[in-house]
């Protein structure tokens, strides 16, 4: 637990140089102080690349035929329901809810022969199918270290609508926990701003109970500590790592999570809340609130992800909850209506994210991955929906040094099976790990 206290452990007064810094739970069983932890990390792990992954999980399973592998010439009952739009890759089309992404397809790799492996709702490939298997974010933290030694931020984070809007729903899912550390232990769980994950609990600043009643009071006390330190010239005489620890704690590490620190024009640029408003979504669907949350949050979630990777977070998982399950049953819309509720906001948010990365020189540093846990059936059901399908799905990847303007693999004419070399979950995970780690060096690194 990270603790701030004065010399006598009660109210703030005069500070000694080590009075307020004490940290445990930086890793499983770690008893290092924050300054000593930073010192230990200074040499760095030579197998961790200066790259990051943003995994935008399209929970529920988007239809490949209405997104990145449309089939406009297939027979009725199979063909793409939404129409198509040409992309900047000659001869390649996307579903027509993605016009902005289509214009940027020459900066992407699209996989059309990805095989999810089963037709069940879960949270693969972020967490695999095996029981008690760690999430990719937890695995990243285990290999890269749980805390970025430069910024003090956690190396892995999981964002969901409440991370940017407290009025949105929580991140609970009966199909799995997005921040699951599995067998690695809770010390490696991704940080969940706005949530109650174990790492967030471990990192919480501890003060008097009455001062923890709301975050405004907490921020006020941190600012008080900062002013007191400045007045007492506390940081004079600190060694390099003590001073770095102080800077991390009190001088801006939390700013990366605060969208009010972002240029208001950029916040407006990402904003998706006006594209499909709550009154434009049919309230008859039980998932109505989730569709509303998706449109309110997805742009700001990607903006927050950009701020985090820029500040040193290495793996960011994003989910807007269970919105791509387009069965057209009592809970979920059909595919045509679903692409209106989910596709336009997705298109706007992701295209602006890609542009923002390019403008900031981060295009080769950050790999964006977009996919769900399953695909959808080639044949449309009698209600206008597509059901679960594990035989093939599509994946969008962009940045991170991957090839651009490529379409890898193809599906059969009905979009139901791979019609070329299949890409498995293991292949996808291996690609991600090779992006952020030097695997040959990692293999010979000490535990």
């Amino acid at each position: 637990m990270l603790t701030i206290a004065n010399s006598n452990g009660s109210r703030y007064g005069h500070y000694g140089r080590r009075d307020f810094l004490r940290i445990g739970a930086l890793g499983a069983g770690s008893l290092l102080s924050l300054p000593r932890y930073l010192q230990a990390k200074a040499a760095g792990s030579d197998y961790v690349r200066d790259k990051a992954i943003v995994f935008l999980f399209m929970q529920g399973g988007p239809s490949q035929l209405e997104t990145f592998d449309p089939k406009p010439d297939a027979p009725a009952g199979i063909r793409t329901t939404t129409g198509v739009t040409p992309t900047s890759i000659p001869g390649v089309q996307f579903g027509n809810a993605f016009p902005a992404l289509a214009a940027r397809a020459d900066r992407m790799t699209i996989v059309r022969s990805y095989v999810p492996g089963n037709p069940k709702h879960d949270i693969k490939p972020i967490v695999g199918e095996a029981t008690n298997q760690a999430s990719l974010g937890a695995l990243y933290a285990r290999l890269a270290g749980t805390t970025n030694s430069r910024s003090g931020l956690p190396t892995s984070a999981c964002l969901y609508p409440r991370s940017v809007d407290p009025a949105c729903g929580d991140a609970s899912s009966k199909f799995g926990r997005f921040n699951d550390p599995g067998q690695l232990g809770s010390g490696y769980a991704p940080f969940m701003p706005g949530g109650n994950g174990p790492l967030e609990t471990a990192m919480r600043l501890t003060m008097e109970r009455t001062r923890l009643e709301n975050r405004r009071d907490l921020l006020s006390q941190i600012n008080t500590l900062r002013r007191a330190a400045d007045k007492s010239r506390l940081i004079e005489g600190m060694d390099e790592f003590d001073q770095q620890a102080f800077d991390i704690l009190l001088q801006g590490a939390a700013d990366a999570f605060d969208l009010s620190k972002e240029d208001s024009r950029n916040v407006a640029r990402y904003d998706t809340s006006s594209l499909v408003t709550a009154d434009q979504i049919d309230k008859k669907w039980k998932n109505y609130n989730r569709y509303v949350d998706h449109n309110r949050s997805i742009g700001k979630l990607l903006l927050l992800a950009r701020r985090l990777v820029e500040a040193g977070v290495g793996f960011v998982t994003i989910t807007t909850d269970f919105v791509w399950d387009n069965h057209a049953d009592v809970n979920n819309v059909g595919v045509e209506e679903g692409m209106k509720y989910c596709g336009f906001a997705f298109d706007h948010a992701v295209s602006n994210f890609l542009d923002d990365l390019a403008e900031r020189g981060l295009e080769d540093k950050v790999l964006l991955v977009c996919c769900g846990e399953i695909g959808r059936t080639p044949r449309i059901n009698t209600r206008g929906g597509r059901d679960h399908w594990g035989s093939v799905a599509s994946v969008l990847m962009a940045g991170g040094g991957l090839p651009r303007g490529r379409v890898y693999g193809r599906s059969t004419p009905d979009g139901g099976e791979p019609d070329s070399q299949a890409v498995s979950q293991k292949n996808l995970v291996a690609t991600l790990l090779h992006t952020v780690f030097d695997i040959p060096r990692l293999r010979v690194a000490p535990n």
Side-chain angles (χ1 to χ4, degrees), residues 144-434:
T146 57
T147 307
N148 182 288
S149 60
R150 173 177 57 83
S151 66
L153 291 169
T155 56
S156 175
C158 182
L159 310 179
Y160 63 107
R162 193 176 288 179
S163 299
V164 294
D165 188 337
C168 291
D170 63 26
S172 61
S173 173
K174 64 181 180 180
F175 301 111
R177 295 190 305 144
F178 291 98
N179 66 333
D180 199 337
Q183 71 275 21
L184 296 179
S186 61
Y188 297 104
F191 181 57
M192 297 184 71
N196 293 298
L199 183 56
E200 183 181 43
T201 300
M203 292 182 65
R204 187 169 296 137
L205 301 174
T206 301
M207 298 180 182
E208 297 172 349
R209 182 181 300 272
T210 57
R211 308 308 291 174
L212 285 170
E213 290 178 351
N214 62 64
R215 296 186 180 190
R216 182 172 299 174
D217 282 345
L218 179 58
L219 180 60
S220 173
Q221 288 300 307
I222 292 176
N223 288 334
T224 298
L225 179 56
R226 180 186 293 116
R227 290 192 296 270
D230 291 342
K231 184 177 179 180
S232 65
R233 305 176 74 176
L234 169 67
I235 63 174
E236 290 185 5
M238 285 184 174
D239 65 30
E240 174 188 355
F241 297 102
D242 284 318
Q243 184 165 344
Q244 185 181 359
F246 183 88
D247 291 343
I248 286 170
L249 186 60
L250 298 180
Q251 297 183 14
D255 285 354
F257 291 94
D258 188 353
L259 294 185
S260 71
K261 304 292 185 181
E262 184 74 24
D263 188 319
S264 60
R265 293 170 295 183
N266 211 28
V267 176
R269 167 191 184 182
Y270 271 92
D271 187 28
T272 53
S273 60
S274 64
L275 296 178
V276 179
T277 59
D279 60 353
Q280 293 174 307
I281 300 174
D282 196 329
K283 292 184 178 180
K284 73 178 182 180
W285 306 107
K286 288 188 177 180
N287 277 342
Y288 167 82
N289 289 330
R290 288 173 171 167
Y291 301 135
V292 173
D293 288 353
H294 171 86
N295 283 280
R296 290 166 58 183
S297 68
I298 187 170
K300 291 180 179 179
L301 287 168
L302 279 163
L303 173 55
L304 179 54
R306 191 271 291 158
R307 290 178 61 83
L308 294 182
V309 297
E310 201 169 29
V313 179
F315 199 104
V316 180
T317 302
I318 300 174
T319 177
T320 57
D321 210 345
F322 213 69
V323 296
W324 295 94
D325 192 25
N326 298 154
H327 284 294
D329 57 14
V330 66
N331 296 311
N332 310 284
V333 298
V335 285
E336 186 171 5
E337 189 174 0
M339 288 307 296
K340 293 177 183 177
Y341 293 171
C342 302
F344 295 130
F346 180 95
D347 180 64
H348 180 92
V350 174
S351 60
N352 276 287
F353 179 76
L354 295 177
D355 289 350
D356 201 8
L357 293 182
E359 292 162 9
R360 293 172 178 270
L362 298 173
E363 195 168 23
D364 289 330
K365 178 179 177 179
V366 181
L367 173 62
L368 172 69
V369 184
C370 304
C371 73
E373 73 275 29
I374 52 177
R376 312 304 295 187
T377 53
R379 185 162 295 279
I380 299 170
N381 63 34
T382 57
R383 303 177 302 275
R386 297 188 190 271
D387 299 313
H388 296 187
W389 194 250
S391 297
V392 74
S394 295
V395 182
L396 179 156
M397 295 189 287
L402 265 63
R404 303 180 184 183
R406 303 281 186 89
V407 175
Y408 184 89
R410 62 180 180 272
S411 63
T412 51
D414 68 351
E417 305 282 342
D419 197 25
S420 65
Q421 182 67 41
V423 175
S424 70
Q425 182 183 166
K426 290 182 179 179
N427 297 143
L428 178 58
V429 169
T431 298
L432 304 190
L433 295 180
H434 276 275

